[in-house]
Amino acid sequence: MDKEERKIINQGQEDEMEIYGYNLSRWKLAIVSLGVICTGGFLLLLLYWMPEWRVKATCVRAAIKDCEVVLLRTTDEFKMWFCAKIRILSLETHPVSSPKSMSNKLSNGHAVCLIENPTEDNRHGIRKYSQAESQQIRYFTHHSVKYFWNDTIHNFDFLKGLDEGVSCTSIYEKHSAGLTKGMHAYRKLLYGVNEIAVKVPSVFKLLIKEVLNPFYIFQLFSVILWSTDEYYYYALAIVVMSIVSIVSSLYSIRKQYVMLHDMVATHSTVRVSVCRVNEEIEEIFSTDLVPGDVMVIPLNGTIMPCDAVLINGTCIVNESMLTGESVPVTKTNLPNPSVDVKGIGDELYNPETHKRHTLFCGTTVIQTRFYTGELVKAIVVRTGFSTSKGQLVRSILYPKPTDFKLYRDAYLFLLCLVAVAGIGFIYTIINSILNEVQVGVIIIESLDIITITVPPALPAAMTAGIVYAQRRLKKIGIFCISPQRINICGQLNLVCFDKTGTLTEDGLDLWGIQRVENARFLSPEENVCNEMLVKSQFVACLATCHSLTKIEGVLSGDPLDLKMFEAIGWILEEATEEETALHNRIMPTVVRPPKQLLPESTPAGNQEMELFELPAIYEIGIVRQFPFSSALQRMSVVARVLGDKKMDAYMKGAPEVIASLCKPETVPVDFQNVLEDFTKQGFRVIALAHRKLESKLTWHKVQNISRDAIENNMDFMGLIIMQNKLKQETPAVLEDLHKANIRTVMVTGDNMLTAVSVARDCGMILPQDKVIIAEALPPKDGKVAKINWHYADSLTQCSHPSAIASEAIPVKLVHDSLEDLQMTRYHFAMNGKSFSVILEHFQDLVPKLMLHGTVFARMAPDQKTQLIEALQNVDYFVGMCGDGANDCGALKRAHGGISLSELEASVASPFTSKTPSISCVPNLIREGRAALITSFCVFKFMALYSIIQYFSVTLLYSILSNLGDFQFLFIDLAIILVVVFTMSLNPAWKELVAQRPPSGLISGALLFSVLSQIIICIGFQSLGFFWVKQQPWYEVWHPKSDACNTTGSLLWNSSHLDNETELDEHNIQNYENTTVFFISSFQYLIVAIAFSKGKPFRQPCYKNYFFVFSVIFLYVFILFIMLYPVASVDQVLQIVCVPYQWRVTMLIIVLVNAFVSITVESFFLDMVLWKVVFSRDKQGEYRFSTTQPPQESVDRWGKCCLPWALGRGKKIPKAKYMYLAQELLVDPEWPPKPQTTTEAKGLVKGNGPRSPHHSTAASRSQRRR
């Protein structure tokens, strides 16, 4: 049963989960209740923290179909458990008696099983989700999504809208009429209210959740324990600290909830008009919308309350909320395949592929355009949390845990401390029993050891550094929505940059045009705005082929389109309804040249001729737009010159794509060479094409014609050459990153050669480096997939870009032998298509290409995300810097994503920079490194603090003594808290250095540092403890003891008389206690100074004035009370009087301790150990630097310290990419040789790294031919 009852929901998606069914068991519940009473409620807490245990302890396994509770486990590396209660939705309450009233199916496009026959359809619809015929549907809710039981697939499944499994035809045929009221009500029951509800939890709820954190429970346990031991002051101090910590974290959590709630609530309820089946229009609240409703988009625009697909009219939308790009986008209606002239295969509607026809939730419709008298309509496809905005909000509400080594190591470290505490616990019990101490005292003292070892102030101390870093980042204009990521940014060793708007200026300038006549290129021209060209097809294409629109009288749209349109100086007019009637029924936009450009009309001889002169106004109407699609890399329009019979089709886009859609005889022979010349110089090149359409194409036919019917058989017209200048700061920032051994990668939607050229210009690829272009072709006509390798400098493509066969390329071999190649670094470049093919068919090559891949061109948004994942899979810590537009997924997936968009609405990325410049990247990494090192310092300090105190207490327990209440208080509040909160204030170092901080606490250097300091501190404490007993004046202290010979002094007498009256039952006052207290107090400060390192990641600690002042003040104070005792202070701290020479001896012990500690930490650890290991790595690296990407040395030295110290031989690097780099050094087949081809292996799999080049010989023989 076990096997059969483990099912998977959301298969293949990011939130894939295993699901198990359980039923409540009475007898188990009774046993658990008993256990809770016996453990004083602790078992209840344990079950609260562990949902899996909770369900297994109170329930028995059951079939998922009939269970009462489901247990869910994520299938990712975190394997997190959740549980959910099954609820029942009753359909009987709703008057859907006959299936007739449900002419559409309840879950229209239910992807599980879509049946097109309406009558069968709705019978199936109910049965699919309802148990037998009882009209009851079982469901559960997890992370704001409802999962319903589905009989067809025998599993739970979430209810999909029209976004999956619905064809474009059925959207028009079945859904465009609207819903009946009955059907609407029925769907509302299932889909629920259309809102993205971010409930701001009540303070009480948040408080309970926060207080039940294991750490606070431990603190509560400590406080109760100390109170029983009458340590009231310290207990009170911890309570105050915990309250401050809880209040501040409650405040920030609640603030985030409120911010998110406000952001989401902007559109939550608006009034919308929907069309019902009988053409009537009903006004409802947006919360009542369901998938299938036909919504009328108002003329003056609105904020979309759902995702909807446009079926009538066009809309201009601002999508900055989702993309961070404030350029308005034009959305057109979904093509209707049924009235298509060519009748393409019926494709399924998908919001991603049809995003140019989809209005997304939360985006603002600025204005709509409609054809005379018709409404602009859209069909609701997704509502609530299923919408694009809903998914974004869900990803913020339920983020994936950030798996960072630091936090894992912190828990390991705490476990070590607990183990140490366990030893002390056992020692205390045995020692107390041997000394016949009372049972009550034994219990309290042994538990006390545990509370000493695990410091209660640890969480507050750890977050302090991050909070300070966040404040510093805010000062330099970087906003952060997930502070935990700041530490991770300190580890980044590779940064991906978007090109346009990030590395280069946002806008493009028109450099010139190069027209084609009779299949030959004319010489380049700078000025497009002249009388000669005004009526040419070339200019007509520039004037019409764009998505510009007028908003409040100002032209707006894609910056590229704007630049082109401004270059020709034409005028765009969006026709009013009266004007459209003049041409025809549908004519939204007209463009015409300014009067001064038109050639003067020749005066006619007779009046009859003058009548024909009237249409001398030259106007072009844009009849239909096929918007730019990044998948197709082109856009086209159908236009008509006023008075012409035939219409024209114009197209512009990526030159390779446009050339492939033109008649071959119209494309110049030297097209590839000319294009390559321009792209190599870093110009952005766009090609134009045109054709006259057949006269039989009427207005109506054009409105429904498919894109492919228009975009073929064109005449090639020429090229537009745009210049994209590098931003001023780009080369300098990239150089800084390279100096710091941080790899840089370019990910862009632009042309490959342009991208390579920009990469060379900005220093990402050095002049002497080689660029290898990997061009992968998918399997075709029974042939396997293959990769052709070209060296960029020798790349001359043939006329049809996708058909580059190795023999077709003229050979200009870069190297006769590959010996010289070993001495030059190489980079791989590839486009999105090749990247997808390689991911699919060449899995074994992916890691090798990630190691040297520098330019990724023509990448679609999801490919950018896949690239980030591929880099993370070889253990890179990846940063991503983009302008937010199409980088959302990648920004979220990267370890540190920085959006350069000014809109803080771009909630996708953890960091947002106010200034749109990449100089924020090194700043963020510097601050991240400083925060990380601060975390290490604090952690090391807190570990030492607990060990020093633990050892002090253990020593004193051996003579049945302890530290006094006020001694504890002085150490914990005056010393520890002050030091911890000020030592975190060091700002980041001024520049990025080549070393990287270790990524985890458990690295050789850090362990060595902590262990050496522990040994030193224990040594000096023991020395003081045992040496004081050897003193001639030493005796077991009693109230009458007088080691200082102070009997004569009245002052001392009086204080001692007071002491006698208060009996010291805890035996706190004695010589050992006083000695240990003074030595340990100094040790805390010594360790704080030793650990407060500055360079190379933070400013030196003497620049941290608060810290310096606090430490000096504490030193002076402790020195003063040690050398010149003040009776009242001694009385409060329960210190006894010791002879002056012993005070001096203690001072000497402390000074020697300080000298040894600081020498070991600063000299031995930083100089000797570090230098030896680092230089050893350096040599290895220098030897390999020919082909290795810049590696980070510090992590190596950190990780190899211990093996080195233990004298082990060769080590294997932990990071996969470093291991791979070492392997590739000895691989004679890598990098691939020029002009070779690698084929995907169908049969042989285990051939390792050498498998790719089996076709080298073949390709050579082909070249000879």
Side-chain angles (χ1 to χ4, degrees):
M1 163 174 153
D2 229 342
K3 256 198 167 151
E4 156 202 303
E5 281 312 307
R6 193 197 86 183
K7 292 187 188 288
I8 302 265
I9 53 174
N10 301 336
Q11 200 149 11
Q13 290 171 30
E14 213 179 325
D15 50 355
E16 180 179 273
M17 288 178 290
E18 295 169 359
I19 177 169
Y20 306 86
Y22 282 87
N23 279 342
L24 212 59
S25 155
R26 295 258 169 88
W27 62 270
K28 276 190 167 185
L29 210 58
I31 292 173
V32 169
S33 311
L34 193 68
V36 169
I37 294 163
C38 294
T39 56
F42 184 69
L43 180 64
L44 194 65
L45 270 176
L46 206 60
L47 296 181
Y48 167 78
W49 293 327
M50 303 290 217
E52 173 201 6
W53 295 4
R54 180 164 77 236
V55 171
K56 288 181 178 172
T58 54
C59 303
V60 289
R61 285 297 290 270
I64 294 180
K65 188 179 179 182
D66 311 308
C67 62
E68 299 167 7
V69 176
V70 288
L71 192 57
L72 306 162
R73 183 168 83 155
T74 60
T75 54
D76 55 15
E77 68 270 29
F78 301 109
K79 302 271 185 280
M80 290 172 69
W81 291 91
F82 301 96
C83 66
K85 208 173 161 193
I86 297 287
R87 302 180 185 282
I88 296 206
L89 179 70
S90 171
L91 300 180
E92 286 152 353
T93 53
H94 187 74
V96 182
S97 44
S98 72
K100 278 266 192 293
S101 66
M102 299 172 42
S103 57
N104 296 16
K105 176 167 123 201
L106 77 111
S107 115
N108 253 335
H110 199 287
V112 184
C113 185
L114 184 77
I115 295 179
E116 294 295 355
N117 169 357
T119 52
E120 189 190 343
D121 198 20
N122 46 54
R123 275 209 306 279
H124 182 78
I126 288 189
R127 201 177 312 130
K128 210 166 63 174
Y129 283 105
S130 51
Q131 239 65 5
E133 297 299 322
S134 65
Q135 303 295 298
Q136 285 194 335
I137 300 180
R138 304 161 56 76
Y139 73 95
F140 67 89
T141 308
H142 171 69
H143 283 182
S144 305
V145 175
K146 280 186 186 173
Y147 294 86
F148 288 87
W149 175 257
N150 182 333
D151 263 348
T152 334
I153 58 167
H154 294 291
N155 198 351
F156 282 95
D157 193 19
F158 66 91
L159 206 53
K160 300 174 181 76
L162 301 185
D163 53 326
E164 280 190 45
V166 183
S167 63
C168 295
T169 316
S170 70
I171 280 199
Y172 274 101
E173 290 178 357
K174 291 190 171 175
H175 304 298
S176 57
L179 301 175
T180 59
K181 285 194 178 172
M183 192 60 222
H184 175 269
Y186 182 80
R187 279 197 197 174
K188 185 155 180 236
L189 203 64
L190 279 160
Y191 283 101
V193 180
N194 168 36
E195 63 175 351
I196 301 169
V198 178
K199 292 192 176 70
V200 179
S202 65
V203 176
F204 180 70
K205 250 191 187 168
L206 280 175
L207 182 70
I208 294 295
K209 204 173 166 186
E210 190 68 21
V211 169
L212 293 184
N213 172 332
F215 211 90
Y216 289 122
I217 297 297
F218 175 69
Q219 286 188 335
L220 182 71
F221 160 73
S222 309
V223 166
I224 292 169
L225 183 71
W226 293 325
S227 305
T228 55
D229 202 13
E230 296 173 13
Y231 284 12
Y232 298 122
Y233 302 105
Y234 188 36
L236 185 70
I238 286 294
V239 168
V240 169
M241 226 164 69
S242 300
I243 287 173
V244 169
S245 160
I246 289 173
V247 167
S248 66
S249 94
L250 278 190
Y251 171 74
S252 63
I253 292 174
R254 196 175 153 84
K255 190 170 143 195
Q256 276 181 336
Y257 268 114
V258 170
M259 256 172 61
L260 193 60
H261 177 266
D262 293 350
M263 184 191 93
V264 173
T266 46
H267 76 278
S268 55
T269 322
V270 289
R271 291 195 79 87
V272 290
S273 306
V274 291
C275 298
R276 293 278 171 245
V277 168
N278 46 9
E279 290 290 312
E280 70 170 292
I281 287 183
E282 183 188 355
E283 238 194 37
I284 59 173
F285 280 113
S286 58
T287 44
D288 294 334
L289 287 170
V290 296
D293 267 330
V294 176
M295 179 180 165
V296 178
I297 312 288
L299 184 61
N300 54 352
T302 177
I303 291 181
M304 289 301 293
C306 58
D307 286 359
V309 58
L310 208 54
I311 52 166
N312 242 358
T314 50
C315 292
I316 290 143
V317 185
N318 178 348
E319 291 193 323
S320 59
M321 154 64 234
L322 286 182
T323 62
E325 185 109 319
S326 51
V327 173
V329 190
T330 306
K331 303 274 182 171
T332 56
N333 57 331
L334 186 76
N336 183 354
S338 55
V339 266
D340 186 356
V341 181
K342 271 181 76 176
I344 48 163
D346 195 6
E347 61 174 329
L348 292 180
Y349 166 71
N350 177 333
E352 259 320 292
T353 46
H354 295 106
K355 65 172 178 225
R356 285 289 182 167
H357 314 294
T358 308
L359 304 169
F360 293 104
C361 178
T363 60
T364 312
V365 178
I366 304 169
Q367 66 184 55
T368 59
R369 304 228 201 98
F370 53 89
Y371 314 138
T372 328
E374 288 199 29
L375 296 169
V376 178
K377 293 181 191 169
I379 297 175
V380 177
V381 287
R382 299 186 291 205
T383 55
F385 275 102
S386 311
T387 59
S388 45
K389 182 173 181 180
Q391 285 161 3
L392 188 65
V393 172
R394 268 184 68 206
S395 69
I396 298 169
L397 278 177
Y398 313 106
K400 265 196 163 178
T402 37
D403 179 40
F404 186 42
K405 227 163 142 246
L406 174 70
Y407 302 117
R408 280 194 315 236
D409 288 357
Y411 286 116
L412 265 174
F413 209 85
L414 278 177
L415 280 176
C416 295
L417 288 181
V418 170
V420 171
I423 298 167
F425 180 75
I426 294 161
Y427 163 76
T428 309
I429 291 177
I430 294 169
N431 184 47
S432 303
I433 290 171
L434 292 177
N435 285 302
E436 298 172 5
V437 180
Q438 295 167 7
V439 178
V441 177
I442 293 181
I443 292 172
I444 286 175
E445 289 199 339
S446 51
L447 288 175
D448 203 16
I449 272 281
I450 295 176
T451 63
I452 285 168
T453 321
V454 183
L458 189 65
M462 290 293 281
T463 47
I466 294 178
V467 171
Y468 295 148
Q470 199 176 356
R471 278 209 334 236
R472 288 195 298 268
L473 281 174
K474 204 168 176 178
K475 272 186 194 155
I476 53 174
I478 301 173
F479 296 96
C480 166
I481 60 168
S482 93
Q484 296 303 337
R485 294 269 182 128
I486 297 177
N487 270 344
I488 302 179
C489 285
Q491 279 298 314
L492 298 183
N493 53 358
L494 182 148
V495 185
C496 295
F497 292 97
D498 182 37
K499 183 179 78 75
T500 318
T502 305
L503 297 173
T504 58
E505 294 289 353
D506 221 347
L508 289 159
D509 299 318
L510 187 74
W511 178 85
I513 60 169
Q514 190 152 15
R515 293 185 298 134
V516 168
E517 272 180 19
N518 308 324
R520 300 184 80 142
F521 277 115
L522 304 177
S523 53
E525 300 160 74
E526 251 182 72
N527 189 8
V528 205
C529 185
N530 63 27
E531 292 183 12
M532 302 282 295
L533 294 175
V534 72
K535 287 197 177 182
S536 66
Q537 299 290 10
F538 193 94
V539 169
C541 183
L542 285 177
T544 55
C545 198
H546 53 69
S547 54
L548 299 177
T549 178
K550 274 201 167 156
I551 296 173
E552 293 170 2
V554 180
L555 262 188
S556 63
D558 186 281
L560 183 84
D561 288 347
L562 259 173
K563 273 277 175 354
M564 289 186 196
F565 194 74
E566 284 166 5
I568 54 171
W570 281 39
I571 296 155
L572 177 130
E573 284 180 0
E574 294 185 336
T576 56
E577 281 182 53
E578 299 81 71
E579 284 178 324
T580 19
L582 201 146
H583 302 289
N584 192 303
R585 212 169 68 83
I586 308 164
M587 174 72 94
T589 308
V590 173
V591 288
R592 55 183 169 74
K595 292 230 170 33
Q596 62 271 28
L597 273 185
L598 283 171
E600 292 297 316
S601 49
T602 47
N606 58 1
Q607 284 199 334
E608 280 174 280
M609 278 297 285
E610 260 181 42
L611 290 173
F612 291 102
E613 284 298 320
L614 277 177
I617 54 169
Y618 177 67
E619 282 191 353
I620 307 177
I622 301 167
V623 181
R624 173 94 197 265
Q625 247 186 26
F626 297 100
F628 176 77
S629 146
S630 45
L632 300 172
Q633 296 178 8
R634 60 179 185 262
M635 82 163 287
S636 54
V637 293
V638 176
R640 171 192 260 167
V641 178
L642 183 66
D644 271 16
K645 288 269 192 312
K646 292 184 179 179
M647 298 191 201
D648 299 273
Y650 295 105
M651 173 165 73
K652 74 163 194 235
E656 308 91 344
V657 178
I658 300 293
S660 67
L661 294 170
C662 289
K663 299 177 194 153
E665 64 270 16
T666 65
V667 180
V669 193
D670 56 349
F671 166 71
Q672 276 299 348
N673 297 343
V674 171
L675 174 61
E676 200 179 313
D677 279 349
F678 283 128
T679 49
K680 270 191 182 163
Q681 294 170 53
F683 289 119
R684 169 103 177 256
V685 183
I686 289 161
L688 305 182
H690 157 258
R691 78 177 165 109
K692 275 267 184 237
L693 296 178
E694 307 81 48
S695 47
K696 65 173 191 208
L697 274 180
T698 61
W699 282 91
H700 269 289
K701 281 185 179 162
V702 167
Q703 286 317 315
N704 296 305
I705 195 167
S706 86
R707 197 165 181 157
D708 301 352
I710 297 285
E711 296 176 344
N712 60 30
N713 230 8
M714 308 283 256
D715 296 338
F716 191 78
M717 286 201 303
L719 306 172
I720 306 172
I721 298 106
M722 311 289 284
Q723 202 174 10
N724 192 192
K725 297 192 185 90
L726 272 183
K727 284 189 181 172
Q728 241 180 328
E729 66 276 5
T730 298
V733 170
L734 293 184
E735 195 186 345
D736 285 351
L737 292 174
H738 287 161
K739 277 184 190 158
N741 272 349
I742 292 168
R743 240 186 87 188
T744 50
V745 169
M746 183 190 296
V747 196
T748 171
D750 206 342
N751 165 298
M752 161 94 74
L753 291 171
T754 307
V756 170
S757 153
V758 170
R760 282 198 185 279
D761 288 350
C762 65
M764 210 176 258
I765 298 174
L766 300 174
Q768 67 276 17
D769 294 356
K770 289 283 161 261
V771 177
I772 305 172
I773 292 183
E775 192 214 8
L777 306 172
K780 201 172 161 192
D781 311 329
K783 288 183 183 168
V784 288
K786 60 178 182 179
I787 305 176
N788 295 324
W789 307 99
H790 318 290
Y791 279 52
D793 310 335
S794 63
L795 176 69
T796 41
Q797 294 178 314
C798 52
S799 60
H800 196 273
S802 64
I804 299 185
S806 36
E807 64 263 38
I809 297 173
V811 184
K812 180 174 132 198
L813 256 174
V814 191
H815 305 286
D816 297 330
S817 74
L818 273 170
E819 300 311 304
D820 7 330
L821 180 69
Q822 287 300 336
M823 298 320 292
T824 48
R825 291 200 1 190
Y826 58 92
H827 302 262
F828 288 109
M830 67 194 77
N831 61 22
K833 280 183 188 152
S834 298
F835 179 67
S836 291
V837 173
I838 291 170
L839 274 189
E840 197 176 335
H841 300 284
F842 296 90
Q843 272 297 316
D844 57 328
L845 285 184
V846 174
K848 298 182 186 182
L849 292 172
M850 289 306 111
L851 202 60
H852 291 280
T854 303
V855 176
F856 296 85
R858 295 272 185 244
M859 297 284 274
D862 56 326
Q863 288 171 333
K864 290 186 180 182
T865 313
Q866 286 165 342
L867 172 67
I868 301 267
E869 280 172 0
L871 287 164
Q872 287 171 338
N873 289 342
V874 288
D875 292 345
Y876 275 113
F877 279 92
V878 186
M880 168 80 198
C881 178
D883 53 2
N886 42 5
D887 311 317
C888 279
L891 286 168
K892 255 172 80 173
R893 181 47 52 88
H895 290 111
I898 316 171
S899 158
L900 298 185
S901 125
E902 298 136 57
L903 296 140
E904 274 196 81
S906 152
V907 253
S909 90
F911 300 96
T912 303
S913 166
K914 220 159 86 177
T915 47
S917 128
I918 63 166
S919 53
C920 61
V921 175
N923 286 340
L924 179 64
I925 297 175
R926 280 187 313 114
E927 285 298 348
R929 288 177 172 188
L932 189 59
I933 289 295
T934 301
S935 297
F936 289 150
C937 288
V938 169
F939 215 100
K940 280 158 62 175
F941 177 69
M942 293 303 276
L944 260 267
Y945 146 60
S946 51
I947 296 290
I948 293 171
Q949 199 172 60
Y950 163 77
F951 199 73
S952 308
V953 171
T954 313
L955 282 176
L956 294 175
Y957 274 3
S958 68
I959 57 161
L960 302 185
S961 175
N962 199 349
L963 287 173
D965 198 354
F966 278 102
Q967 288 175 341
F968 271 126
L969 203 63
F970 175 74
I971 291 171
D972 291 331
L973 293 188
I975 301 181
I976 304 304
L977 280 191
V978 170
V979 167
V980 156
F981 286 116
T982 55
M983 89 192 289
S984 309
L985 282 169
N986 284 31
W989 184 243
K990 298 186 285 290
E991 64 233 17
L992 270 181
V993 289
Q995 305 96 287
R996 268 178 50 228
S999 57
L1001 282 164
I1002 301 176
S1003 70
L1006 285 174
L1007 286 181
F1008 180 84
S1009 163
V1010 170
L1011 289 172
S1012 58
Q1013 293 300 333
I1014 286 177
I1015 292 164
I1016 294 165
C1017 291
I1018 286 178
F1020 282 100
Q1021 259 196 60
S1022 311
L1023 176 70
F1025 181 79
F1026 292 113
W1027 198 6
V1028 74
K1029 295 184 176 182
Q1030 307 305 316
Q1031 298 304 314
W1033 46 265
Y1034 176 82
E1035 57 175 342
V1036 174
W1037 193 87
H1038 48 85
K1040 296 251 175 18
S1041 291
D1042 185 17
C1044 305
N1045 296 326
T1046 48
T1047 335
S1049 152
L1050 232 155
L1051 179 79
W1052 271 98
N1053 256 345
S1054 59
S1055 75
H1056 278 222
L1057 288 174
D1058 290 347
N1059 281 347
E1060 279 182 73
T1061 51
E1062 296 171 30
L1063 249 175
D1064 183 11
E1065 57 186 63
H1066 288 294
N1067 182 23
I1068 281 165
Q1069 287 177 307
N1070 52 52
Y1071 300 123
E1072 291 91 347
N1073 168 295
T1074 301
T1075 305
V1076 165
F1077 171 70
F1078 278 127
I1079 293 178
S1080 68
S1081 294
F1082 277 113
Q1083 282 181 336
Y1084 298 121
L1085 295 173
I1086 292 166
V1087 167
I1089 291 171
F1091 284 161
S1092 280
K1093 294 226 183 77
K1095 279 174 72 171
F1097 304 116
R1098 309 195 303 166
Q1099 297 276 8
C1101 66
Y1102 57 78
K1103 287 205 174 169
N1104 180 350
Y1105 304 116
F1106 284 109
F1107 176 68
V1108 173
F1109 175 76
S1110 314
V1111 170
I1112 289 175
F1113 178 78
L1114 285 166
Y1115 260 126
V1116 170
F1117 178 73
I1118 302 169
L1119 257 178
F1120 181 75
I1121 59 169
M1122 185 168 95
L1123 296 177
Y1124 299 99
V1126 179
S1128 54
V1129 174
D1130 284 2
Q1131 199 179 335
V1132 170
L1133 289 175
Q1134 293 174 289
I1135 296 170
V1136 297
C1137 180
V1138 290
Y1140 191 77
Q1141 83 257 25
W1142 180 244
R1143 297 171 192 276
V1144 175
T1145 311
M1146 282 197 291
L1147 180 60
I1148 293 167
I1149 292 176
V1150 165
L1151 290 173
V1152 176
N1153 183 348
F1155 175 75
V1156 174
S1157 283
I1158 287 171
T1159 308
V1160 167
E1161 182 70 21
S1162 301
F1163 176 77
F1164 185 73
L1165 192 86
D1166 283 9
M1167 306 283 180
V1168 184
L1169 186 77
W1170 201 83
K1171 281 257 165 63
V1172 169
V1173 181
F1174 185 58
S1175 62
R1176 191 190 64 162
D1177 268 339
K1178 263 292 197 231
Q1179 289 159 6
E1181 203 156 288
Y1182 180 71
R1183 206 172 62 238
F1184 299 152
S1185 66
T1186 51
T1187 52
Q1188 222 170 322
Q1191 304 310 6
E1192 79 287 11
S1193 324
V1194 163
D1195 221 24
R1196 293 176 162 201
W1197 70 257
K1199 286 169 181 166
C1200 71
C1201 258
L1202 284 181
W1204 171 80
L1206 301 172
R1208 281 197 204 148
K1210 251 172 91 181
K1211 67 184 180 56
I1212 293 173
K1214 279 193 182 169
K1216 283 184 199 154
Y1217 69 89
M1218 287 159 70
Y1219 178 65
L1220 205 69
Q1222 286 188 3
E1223 268 193 350
L1224 292 183
L1225 285 173
V1226 291
D1227 184 351
E1229 299 282 358
W1230 195 262
K1233 297 171 181 60
Q1235 321 306 110
T1236 54
T1237 302
T1238 301
E1239 293 187 351
K1241 287 212 156 187
L1243 305 166
V1244 192
K1245 273 196 182 154
N1247 217 356
R1250 307 197 179 186
S1251 59
H1253 296 283
H1254 61 281
S1255 61
T1256 312
S1259 51
R1260 280 201 198 115
S1261 61
Q1262 287 169 342
R1263 288 207 300 271
R1264 266 185 231 115
R1265 257 181 280 151

